[in-house]
Amino acid sequence: MTPARLQNYVSEQLETHKTRSEIVDELVAQGIDSETAPEMVTTSLDAQWRYEGGGGPALGRIGPRHMIAGLLLMAVGGAATFASAYSVINFGVEVGYIFYGAVFAGAMEFVYGLIRFLDS
């Protein structure tokens, strides 16, 4: 079989809602090596993602959405940390909190979105 026909076969199998491992097993059974088969499935999944709007306008892309969500989460974590420190300094509250989890999660979300944006 030609590579184009094999890629079409993989795409058709994805449309029938077969799992990735089922398709890879079928390809290996047909004589495709175990390194090429997963790459073919990944290529078809990427093409399907782009067809469904994954490569659309800037805000329709997955990367900028994650970047915006990450920035918002970092801002909320930073604002909560600032408010906690402010209350300790000005109001004599005994315990202050640092919301490093929100800041770290937001940073990771932003980096993920940046990677997806640069990859597309």
Side-chain angles (χ1 to χ4, degrees), residues 14-35:
L14 285 170
E15 289 174 3
T16 61
H17 302 292
K18 287 194 174 183
T19 64
R20 179 184 179 96
S21 60
E22 290 175 337
I23 297 170
V24 169
D25 292 342
E26 283 183 28
L27 291 172
V28 170
Q30 292 177 9
I32 305 297
D33 66 270
S34 59
E35 293 177 8

Side-chain angles (χ1 to χ4, degrees), residues 70-112:
L71 286 175
L72 290 174
L73 189 56
M74 282 191 299
V76 167
T81 300
F82 177 77
S84 178
Y86 183 81
S87 65
V88 167
I89 293 169
N90 292 327
F91 300 121
V93 176
E94 294 181 13
V95 178
Y97 296 99
I98 299 175
F99 295 89
Y100 61 88
V103 174
F104 181 73
M108 295 305 296
E109 187 79 11
F110 180 81
V111 169
Y112 173 74

